[in-house]
Structure formats: structure tokens, C-alpha cells
Amino acid sequence: MKLGLAETLERIARVIESRRGGDPEKSYVARLLGPDEDAVLKKIGEEATETVLAAKSGDQLPLVREMADLWFHCLVLLARRGLGPGDVLAELHRREGISGIDEKAARKKR
């Protein structure tokens, strides 16, 4: 069964947003949305490292699980900045059909 990725990401983003201002003692997300942005930045670094290690292991399930953790924490960071998955999906859509080499070169010119 194929799930709608955009819809799933938007639904998770709404849940994350609903935790804003919540009690950080009761909500992990509220803690990550609190005044210390370094908490979520550190968590993204940790999850990115764990994702790389899972990929190196060759096992698919750990890779999928670590990637889910990484995506989740990235969604929290987007929420902190007033952004959401639609912003990232729009950028991916803009890049669709553009060579990665050409897109990277265009960024250097800007």
C-alpha cells in the first residue's frame, strides 16, 4: 500500500505544530521547539550519523528507521523556522529535471 508522502508529512507537521508551547516536561516536541534551537540541531546531527551508520550496515530496516528519525527531526527544525514540508517539496519540484551538477553550479553563481 503506497501512502501519500506529502499528505503524511503535512499531517506530521500539523502534530508537531500542535505541540508548540506545550509543556516540555510532557512533550519531547515541545522541548525541541523551546528556546534552545541547539537541541534540535544536535539531534539532527545525531540522527544523520546514525542514518549513515545504518546505511553502512547493509540492513534495510535500520536504515529506514533511522531515516524516519532524521526526517522527523528535520520537520521539527522546519517548524521552528516557520516552514513546512511543502516548502521542501516545492524546492524539490523546482529542481526536478535539472541536472544536479547544473543546479549546484547555479547556486555558486548566486
Side-chain angles (χ1 to χ4, degrees):
M1 174 189 203
K2 186 176 179 180
L3 301 175
L5 177 61
E7 293 83 6
T8 299
L9 292 173
E10 290 293 345
R11 194 168 47 255
I12 293 167
R14 285 192 300 274
V15 170
I16 290 168
E17 192 57 42
S18 76
R19 302 298 195 266
R20 186 181 300 278
D23 183 352
E25 295 298 317
K26 296 180 181 176
S27 170
Y28 175 68
V29 173
R31 191 175 322 146
L32 292 176
L33 291 172
D36 181 18
E37 185 174 73
D38 282 352
V40 72
L41 296 176
K42 288 176 186 175
K43 196 64 184 168
I44 288 172
E46 175 188 319
E47 297 301 344
T49 299
E50 290 174 359
T51 299
V52 170
L53 293 174
K56 300 275 293 170
S57 79
D59 292 332
Q60 290 184 336
L61 184 57
L63 174 59
V64 168
R65 288 179 172 165
E66 292 302 337
M67 189 68 71
D69 289 346
L70 178 58
W71 284 17
F72 174 79
H73 288 90
C74 288
L75 288 171
V76 173
L77 177 59
L78 287 171
R80 285 187 63 87
R81 298 291 181 91
L83 300 166
D87 297 294
V88 177
L89 292 172
E91 176 61 13
L92 289 171
H93 180 72
R94 183 192 69 77
R95 293 182 187 186
E96 192 173 5
I98 300 171
S99 157
I101 293 169
D102 292 343
E103 202 284 326
K104 190 170 184 176
R107 275 190 269 160
K108 288 182 179 179
K109 290 178 184 175
R110 286 183 252 174

